[in-house]
Amino acid sequence: MVIRSFRLSDYAAIMEIWKETGLAYEDMESMDAIAKQLAWDSELVLVAELDENVVGVIVGTIDRGRAYFYRLAVLKAYQKRGIGRGLVQALEERLQKRGAYQIFIMVNQKNEKVIPFYQSLGYDVERYITMSKKL
């Protein structure tokens, strides 16, 4: 497995991964979000490759020592092989090198099955309420 920074040629593959795993938004919203993240910090969007095929993706960001990641996804046929774990660990290393001292993730309340995975990586469930507002 190779974990590397995202390339524009990976866009179609990661959209397919997000669609298959239920993380896709409207195509233009996803493209806009990726474009903004790449403009902000292209080294924090990572993909996992097996046999030259993109099979996983993670998007990270950092703000004054606090880091975040989201949209971690691996094609269903490749899950349970350590790919997600590898993507998280590779991103954590990049974030730590940039001075991150804490990483936050948000998990959809309906997606409880991923909580044990994140706990196995050392993440704890916090007692925060996430609020949002669409503009």
Side-chain angles (χ1 to χ4, degrees):
M1 173 177 60
V2 173
I3 296 178
R4 61 169 175 76
S5 297
F6 171 86
R7 298 181 200 136
L8 286 176
S9 60
D10 298 327
Y11 181 77
I14 67 167
M15 284 304 301
E16 285 304 313
I17 294 168
W18 285 336
K19 285 178 185 173
E20 180 185 289
T21 58
L23 294 179
Y25 302 132
E26 181 181 317
D27 284 354
M28 283 311 296
E29 184 179 334
S30 292
M31 174 143 339
D32 288 346
I34 289 289
K36 286 176 186 173
Q37 179 59 34
L38 291 172
W40 176 256
D41 195 336
S42 63
E43 294 297 311
L44 298 179
V45 180
L46 304 178
V47 298
E49 275 186 342
L50 279 176
D51 301 321
E52 298 183 20
N53 295 309
V54 174
V55 297
V57 59
I58 191 170
V59 179
T61 188
I62 188 169
D63 182 22
R64 297 183 192 155
R66 289 189 172 145
Y68 307 83
F69 74 78
Y70 53 99
R71 298 184 87 180
L72 169 64
V74 175
L75 286 172
K76 290 179 182 178
Y78 294 90
Q79 292 178 1
K80 308 254 190 241
R81 297 186 188 187
I83 296 167
R85 181 177 299 275
L87 283 164
V88 171
Q89 290 171 340
L91 183 61
E92 287 176 345
E93 289 172 13
R94 289 184 184 202
L95 292 167
Q96 191 171 27
K97 286 179 184 175
R98 292 174 184 219
Y101 60 85
Q102 189 170 17
I103 301 174
F104 296 90
I105 58 175
M106 285 191 285
V107 176
N108 186 313
Q109 293 176 5
K110 295 178 182 177
N111 194 5
E112 292 179 357
K113 67 181 182 180
V114 300
I115 293 172
F117 168 74
Y118 290 123
Q119 287 175 322
S120 76
L121 293 172
Y123 289 82
D124 296 316
V125 175
E126 298 285 342
R127 297 190 186 272
Y128 298 111
I129 295 173
T130 302
M131 299 174 70
S132 69
K133 178 181 178 180
K134 289 190 178 191
L135 300 176

